Amino acid sequence: MEKFVGLNVRETVERVSALLGCSPTSAKVAVYFDKHDTLQHLRKEFLVPKIADLPLSDLSVVDGTKECIYLVGNSLGLQPRMARKYLEEELDKWAKTGVHGHTEGSRPWAWAENNIEDLMAQVVGAKTEEVALMNGLTVNLHLLMLSFYKPTTVRHKILLEDKAFPSDHYAAESQIRLRGFDPQQSMLLLSPRPGEETLRTEDILEVIEKEGESIALVMLSGVQYYTGQLFDMVAITETGQRKGCYVGFDCAHAVGNVELKLHDWGVDFACWCSYKYLNSGAGGLAGAFVHEKHKDTIKPVLLGWWGHDLKTRFQMNNVLELQPGVSGFRISNQPILLVCPLQASLEVFNMTTMQALRRKSILLTGYLEHLIQHYYAKDPAKSHKPHVHVITPSDPQQRGCQLSLSFCHPVRKVFQELEKRGVVCDMREPSVLRIAPVPLYNSFSDIHRFIKILGAALAAYQQP
Ligand SMILES: *Cc1c(COP(=O)(O)O)cnc(C)c1O
């Protein structure tokens, strides 16, 4: 694809269609992109569900033997092919050697998560010592806030999005109460301007500039789960810290989706789950990051034996030798059965780079956007024609792979029509579908098939 460097997606699609002598909307364009996709081989590292295996009552309209069009990796990533093998290895080890499994084999349970933290660190742009794999996301958010949210009567606010993910909202609210403050006074919520759907960077920065002295903690997401907006983490971190705030990010929708450089950006802390773009399976082992600049100064508030130095942890003398940095935040031993699928996925990430994935992602999502605009842009002359409005920013630098599509009518019927034609995506009533083409396993042909099926779904909708 080198010959298209410097062109935007529309120009690239036009150039390819001219080359092939077909229309820009032809499936041949998608096939061409797939043929030249240097990451195409990664799809076979995942198990793509067959349409016939989906729990749907009405599959009358499609060929069930085909793979579904899976566009919901933002909610639950696909199963890595090696996950089952690794799980079976550990179940076998348990069956055959019992407690010896703690220290034996290629994945000694007592430090198995440590063995994959270097892979994890690469995905988030951190040093290995800055990353811990442990607990669930919201649990980690709480543990980190206990140390980074230190409200005083002057500086007591947490800045977050008005429409933050509910768990983050509740976590912040309860942390504020825990310290004896009032969420009404101490939660500072950011909303888009009237009539707009996403936050402007300039507005976020302005609030931090104006209110910074009263803000203890800036706690935003990296990529917004609903709109798909990618925040300018560099500018937010820089501005927040200049005003004396700690700055942390919930990277649930950013990790494995966009390039992160948590270390270089100087982010104070971050946390993420691993079952979305990191494909570790429902409830998978979550991640936490604490910047190395805090390794000797920011201490965990809640302690457990897993925060004790591994070398002397099992001497059990009750004299804590706390590990520096994020490692000291570990409380319990980690479940090996969650380490296995995450290892399987991180090894696939390690076959490429986030930079290469992102390069494909920008074209893949741009191709989806291009086709949506082509078929469903609002046309004032044809107001009866169904149209689709993309909530997600059109600037690729301000989004990850997900597009949030807002429909002009209630979306449930469209969703059902898509579903019975083998499309798996996410619906947020009343009017939004979230579509996430994941560069690890989605193809350009998936996008083309999706667009054709969307046409059929909307046509079915219009029938009385
Ligand atoms: C998915 C998601 C969660 C889910 O939290 P869990 O603790 O993993 O259940 C929380 N916050 C955000 C922003 C998310 O996207």
Side-chain angles (χ1 to χ4, degrees), residues 74 136-139 141 164-168 221 223 225 250 252-253 273 275-276 286:
N74 55 336
L137 165 56
T138 311
V139 174
L141 183 56
F165 195 94
S167 205
D168 301 42
S221 52
V223 171
Y225 81 98
D250 183 330
H253 280 259
C273 55
Y275 47 83
K276 292 170 181 166

Side-chain angles (χ1 to χ4, degrees), residues 207-267:
V207 171
I208 299 174
E209 289 288 354
K210 276 201 182 132
E211 313 249 357
E213 274 90 46
S214 67
I215 299 173
L217 180 61
V218 175
M219 233 305 298
L220 302 180
S221 52
V223 171
Q224 221 282 345
Y225 81 98
Y226 181 80
T227 64
Q229 179 178 19
L230 166 61
F231 292 119
D232 187 339
M233 291 185 256
V234 176
I236 292 167
T237 303
E238 192 275 318
T239 309
Q241 291 174 347
R242 190 161 38 72
K243 298 299 280 186
C245 322
Y246 282 124
V247 181
F249 290 98
D250 183 330
C251 292
H253 280 259
V255 65
N257 178 13
V258 296
E259 272 187 272
L260 296 172
K261 299 197 165 123
L262 297 178
H263 176 85
D264 289 350
W265 297 342
V267 168

Side-chain angles (χ1 to χ4, degrees), residues 86-305:
Y86 293 169
L87 281 164
E88 277 173 2
E89 284 170 7
E90 296 316 307
L91 289 171
D92 267 359
K93 192 163 85 182
W94 180 22
K96 291 185 180 147
T97 72
V99 73
H100 292 287
H102 276 312
T103 50
E104 299 298 321
S106 65
R107 238 174 257 113
W109 304 332
W111 52 86
E113 80 277 16
N114 298 135
N115 290 344
I116 58 172
E117 279 162 354
D118 57 337
L119 296 179
M120 184 72 259
Q122 285 169 36
V123 174
V124 296
K127 298 188 176 182
T128 307
E129 319 80 77
E130 291 174 318
V131 166
L133 290 168
M134 56 187 186
N135 313 314
L137 165 56
T138 311
V139 174
N140 288 342
L141 183 56
H142 273 298
L143 295 178
L144 291 164
M145 282 204 281
L146 281 173
S147 294
F148 282 94
Y149 177 52
K150 299 172 186 160
T152 64
T153 48
V154 185
R155 192 187 277 278
H156 56 91
K157 290 181 187 162
I158 300 180
L159 178 69
L160 68 166
E161 304 135 65
D162 180 37
K163 292 273 164 55
F165 195 94
S167 205
D168 301 42
H169 185 99
Y170 305 149
E173 198 173 24
S174 59
Q175 288 277 339
I176 290 168
R177 279 209 196 90
L178 181 68
R179 315 307 168 82
F181 287 82
D182 174 5
Q184 291 286 349
Q185 310 295 323
S186 299
M187 270 174 113
L188 185 55
L189 301 175
L190 287 167
S191 305
R193 294 184 187 186
E196 298 188 5
E197 277 139 332
T198 52
L199 289 159
R200 297 193 193 190
T201 303
E202 70 217 67
D203 292 356
I204 301 174
L205 300 183
E206 190 184 306
V207 171
I208 299 174
E209 289 288 354
K210 276 201 182 132
E211 313 249 357
E213 274 90 46
S214 67
I215 299 173
L217 180 61
V218 175
M219 233 305 298
L220 302 180
S221 52
V223 171
Q224 221 282 345
Y225 81 98
Y226 181 80
T227 64
Q229 179 178 19
L230 166 61
F231 292 119
D232 187 339
M233 291 185 256
V234 176
I236 292 167
T237 303
E238 192 275 318
T239 309
Q241 291 174 347
R242 190 161 38 72
K243 298 299 280 186
C245 322
Y246 282 124
V247 181
F249 290 98
D250 183 330
C251 292
H253 280 259
V255 65
N257 178 13
V258 296
E259 272 187 272
L260 296 172
K261 299 197 165 123
L262 297 178
H263 176 85
D264 289 350
W265 297 342
V267 168
D268 291 303
F269 71 88
C271 49
W272 56 91
C273 55
S274 65
Y275 47 83
K276 292 170 181 166
Y277 296 107
L278 291 186
N279 318 302
S280 73
L285 200 59
F289 163 92
V290 173
H291 199 281
E292 79 174 349
K293 65 190 167 189
H294 299 307
K295 80 176 165 32
D296 298 316
T297 46
I298 300 270
K299 302 284 181 196
V301 170
L302 299 178
L303 299 172
W305 71 323

